[in-house]
Every structure is written in structure tokens, then in C-alpha cells.
Amino acid sequence: MKGFRGELLSLAHDPAEGPDAVRHEADGLLVIDGGRIVARGAYSNMAPRFPGLAVERLEGLIVPGMIDAHVHYPQFGRIASHGEQLLDWLERHIFPAEKAFADPVHAAAVAEEFLDELLRHGTTSALVFGTVHAASVEAFFAAAEARDLRMICGKVLMDLGPDGLRDSVREARTESAALIAKWHGRGRLGYAVTPRYALTSSDEQLAVAGELLAAHPGVLLHTHLAENKAEIAAVAVRFAEAVDYLDAYDRFGLVTDRSVFAHGVHLPDRSCARLAETGAGIAVCPSSNFFLGSGMFDFGQAERHGVRLGLGSDIGAGTSLSLLHNGGLAYQAGLPNGYVLDPFRALWLATGGSARLLHIDGEVGMLAEGQEADFVVLDDAATPLMARRTAGASLAERLFALQVLGDDRAVKQTYVLGRCVWDRDAGHGQA
């Protein structure tokens, strides 16, 4: 058993759903045993309960480990690729890069580098796209398991994809089922059935995706929705009988409380109502939406309908793995539609909100008693400008400055199951 003393901050629930969401101890104590939080509270109250406890002082703001609700690890090497909007960008930059993941050695090397970067940016859990190759998912899960990370991944389904990135209906069924049997629920790992998006799968393959989701009650559905206007127009032509883009998925049993749809930039009210009705949700990816010119997510519309939300980096269309930075961009994305994103809600989206969206909120996301001890120590004076802005500031102002001015430089330490796996000042991960 060990204790960590410092300033603790987390959200007990979505601030948009009611008051008293913020849980903050200016001088707090986290008590960790067997990788889990067994107690939390003000140090003055907690210390007498645990006499003789070995306590480490952590200098900074201790928050839950960030949870990336949508990211493509095979696109890691194509971040900051110039030119084009979504569909042309995929053809020009992304599909050629993903073909290399047929090689298990290449996939393993990228998975290791990607996970290093996640931890350096303070992200301890994620919902991750592989490629159409089963080997890409095997490599990712093996790397995540070796680090004891809570991660969810899936093989991409795309029987209408380009040469070298095309599977069959049979492969979609058999390879996905085999990966689920081997990896889902193993340690801290989970599986997501992952059709790339509606246009890259035949009706037969989308039906298989629905069958897999129904047959395995613990797995997620992970795909894209209403990201780009040209994409939406093409979906309307292909699925002429569907009421809207979401309905194209719904017809195959793919809209459930375990469905995570990335983007949702251009959603009619009917879609939002259906998402809320089913418990499905949106991984909001502001950096990617800005970079590809897709548009700005309508937080007000989603809030009015009660749609579940999380926050995603969407690397490699996104330009930063930092969910701090993406929280700042989410604030900017809300303003044109008159929505002012509260800094505490931005933190919720990056932690407990993403955890709830991914159905792992019983384990991570809130620094709550009984949860796994994944947390991050943030330095709100990581740069001279941040130090100037946060000196003497309120908690809300400090948090907002971290989101607008912060990035990986503000992540001082990252802990997984109570063990330090990244230390900025040491310049490396810890054993």
C-alpha cells in the first residue's frame, strides 16, 4: 500500500447534467493498493486513518489519466500531411501508409512508439483503430498488454476498400471473431467491431458487423459518422432508403448503447435524438475537424438532446495527441455556435466522459475509490507563458490555461496502476 499526496482534481459526473460535479482537494491523499485507489480525501482527514503509510509528494495538479475516445495508431506517422479534405486525404496519405501494416514487424514497431507517445501526452486509455490486417491488432494488443494498459482496439472492416486494404465478408467475420476470442477481456484489453465507415463496407459486411456486435455483448462498435459534407452526400446516394447517415448504420443493428461514432459534425436533430435514445455517443475530435476543414461540432445541439460525448485526438488527421490541447480546441469549436465550453466539462470529456462512452467508467476516469490508479500530474507552469498566466489564478482559470496553452510539456508524470510510466524531468518512462 502506498499514498500519493498532492492537489487532486476530477469530475464525478458531466457538469452539464447537474451541480456538484467537481471533486477537488487542494491538499489531498490518494491511497493505492494492488493498483487500485482504496481511499481518497483531504490529507488532514486521511493521514490519521493510515498511520505508517509510505507517502510520496507529487508537485502539480493530479487528474485522472486521459482517455482518447478515437485515435488511429497506424496513422501516427502521417500526422501533419498537407492538403486535401477527408476523402482525398485518405486516398493520398492514409491508405498508402496503412498498407504497410500487413507486416507484423512494422505494426509492432509503430505500436510501441505510439504507446510511448500516448503516455508522454498523459493518455492512459484509448479506443483505437487498427488496419484491415489482423496483424495490426495483434501487435497493438501485445504491446498494450505488456504495459498493463486499459486499451480497446479492433480490426478495420472494409471489403470495398482499395487494393491492399480490402478484406472479404468471410474474413471480416472469422478474423474479428478470432481476435475477440483471444483478446477481449484479457487483462485490461477490450475489443471494438470496427467498420471504417459506411462507404467502405458492403451491405453484407455491415450485416456481419451487426451480427458480431449482437453475439458479443461486451464489445464496442467503433466507426465514423457525419464528418465531412462530401462523405455525407456520398452516403446519401449509396443508402438512398436511409433517413440520414446514422440510419444507414441503424438498419444493420449498429446503433446501440455500445456504439461510438467519431465526429458527428453535421447531424440532424433526428440523429441526435436517436443517439440519445439508444445510449450511443460521439467522440468529438476538434483538432481533426479543424485540420481537414470538416466543420465544428455543435455542443449545444448534443447537450439539448442528451447525447453522450467523449474527446478524441483522431491522429493522424488530428494534429496533437494531447487531450489537454484538444480540450482547448473544443472550446474554440463551440464558440461560433454560441456554446461556451466550461473548462471542467472539457476535463470531463477527456476523462470520465470518454470512460463512460467506452464503458470503462467503472474502472477509470474519475480517481474514485475502487477505480484503477491511472492518473497524470500536470504542471501549470510548464512554460514561462503558462507560469505567468496561472500565477495566483483560480482553479478554473488554471485548468483553462492548461487546456489552451498546454500540451505534452505540461505532463509532468503519468501513472498506470499506481506505477510511474512517464517522468518528464527524467526524460523517460519508468520500470
Side-chain angles (χ1 to χ4, degrees), residues 228-252:
N228 170 278
K229 289 183 178 179
E231 164 213 11
I232 294 167
V235 169
V237 172
R238 156 88 186 276
F239 299 93
E241 295 182 0
V243 177
D244 52 30
Y245 197 155
L246 183 68
D247 190 44
Y249 289 124
D250 215 351
R251 290 163 178 261
F252 297 97

Side-chain angles (χ1 to χ4, degrees), residues 287-302:
S287 174
S288 171
N289 297 337
F290 280 131
F291 181 73
L292 292 179
S294 299
M296 301 178 201
F297 183 78
D298 192 336
F299 285 97
Q301 180 193 39

